[in-house]
Amino acid sequence: MSDEPIKLAEGMMAALRQSGRIENHVCEFRGCGKRAPFGFAKPRQPSLWFCFEHREHGDMDLAG
Ligand SMILES: [Zn+2]
């Protein structure tokens, strides 16, 4: 799964610089709790993080 591209929005890049790390995020999907390397961000909202399995939920959230 490590060869999948990571989607980085501009807002997420800012959040990433602030936190300084990407590996400690946990998937937002209810009941998942896996490590979440895929970050999604909308303007003026907190970043959302999803694991490989649930990253499509982040895509849908950004689209909506
Ligand atoms: Zn997940």
Side-chain angles (χ1 to χ4, degrees), residues 1 10 17 33 43-44 50 55 60:
M1 62 176 67
E10 289 186 16
R17 288 192 201 93
R44 295 183 297 280
F50 292 90
R55 63 195 173 104
M60 286 189 288

Side-chain angles (χ1 to χ4, degrees), residues 8-23 25 41 47 49:
L8 296 175
E10 289 186 16
M12 203 228 60
M13 289 300 292
L16 185 59
R17 288 192 201 93
Q18 289 171 7
S19 65
R21 61 183 70 177
I22 191 170
E23 296 294 336
H25 292 278
S47 299
W49 294 84

Side-chain angles (χ1 to χ4, degrees), residues 4-61:
E4 284 286 323
I6 298 175
K7 174 167 287 192
L8 296 175
E10 289 186 16
M12 203 228 60
M13 289 300 292
L16 185 59
R17 288 192 201 93
Q18 289 171 7
S19 65
R21 61 183 70 177
I22 191 170
E23 296 294 336
N24 279 358
H25 292 278
V26 175
C27 181
E28 306 276 353
F29 192 80
R30 187 178 183 87
C32 178
K34 291 181 182 176
R35 197 158 54 85
F38 299 96
F40 301 84
K42 286 192 282 192
R44 295 183 297 280
Q45 292 189 32
S47 299
L48 297 175
W49 294 84
F50 292 90
C51 69
F52 178 81
E53 184 179 350
H54 295 124
R55 63 195 173 104
E56 65 187 37
H57 292 272
D59 282 327
M60 286 189 288
D61 191 61

